[in-house]
Amino acid sequence: MDVLIESTRSFEKDLGSLSEDEKAAAVQKINDCASLFPTQKADVYRKLRRLPLPSDINGYESSLYTLRVSQKLRVILTVDEDPIFGQVIFTLFRVVKHDNLDKAYKGVAESLYQGLLHHNRETARFS
């Protein structure tokens, strides 16, 4: 199984604003998860915390997770398993201080699920 790591501009910007130690810790934690995934997938998922979706997306489960880098630092990411191509893709959205996690998560969730949120609001209006 191939493991691909993709990062967004927001993640790269966040990473660039960290101290060298924080940056190294974040990269190490992400690489550890990626290298363990093919043989110890369950262990990797145990290290991740699934984040809840906004309440107006009924019936959908979030694919957003946080990975604890340190007491103060979290990575917001998705894990997409693609059995057809035999790969898993880690998409890194943000790396933030724990205090900013809720705000950062909300921004990522809104951008990812914007179509679903908009569709559900329209459907609710016409029901």
Side-chain angles (χ1 to χ4, degrees):
M1 173 182 286
D2 292 331
V3 178
L4 304 174
I5 300 174
E6 297 180 348
S7 61
T8 62
R9 279 194 200 114
S10 296
F11 176 85
E12 296 294 338
K13 184 178 176 193
D14 292 342
L15 195 65
S17 70
L18 299 176
S19 71
E20 288 305 312
D21 287 347
E22 289 173 324
K23 198 181 298 185
V27 169
Q28 183 65 51
K29 192 68 123 176
I30 292 161
N31 286 336
D32 288 349
C33 284
S35 64
L36 284 174
F37 199 89
T39 57
Q40 299 172 39
K41 177 166 65 170
D43 289 342
V44 172
Y45 277 115
R46 275 194 285 279
K47 293 175 198 256
L48 301 175
R49 188 174 141 246
R50 186 185 298 265
L51 294 168
L53 281 173
S55 58
D56 49 358
I57 304 181
N58 297 326
Y60 289 93
E61 198 170 73
S62 175
S63 60
L64 278 174
Y65 295 92
T66 58
L67 173 64
R68 185 177 193 262
V69 173
S70 66
Q71 188 174 347
K72 293 182 179 177
L73 209 55
R74 303 290 186 275
V75 174
I76 300 174
L77 71 154
T78 58
V79 179
D80 297 303
E81 294 182 62
D82 185 343
I84 293 172
F85 292 103
Q87 64 185 16
V88 63
I89 303 164
F90 285 74
T91 304
L92 312 173
F93 288 96
R94 301 288 310 268
V95 57
V96 295
K97 304 285 186 192
H98 187 262
D99 298 347
N100 299 330
L101 182 61
D102 289 341
K103 183 179 178 188
Y105 166 70
K106 190 171 185 198
V108 172
E110 284 175 358
S111 68
L112 276 182
Y113 301 112
Q114 188 171 21
L116 288 173
L117 287 165
H118 180 73
H119 174 73
N120 283 348
R121 285 191 197 112
E122 293 297 315
T123 305
R125 237 183 256 149
F126 295 113
S127 299

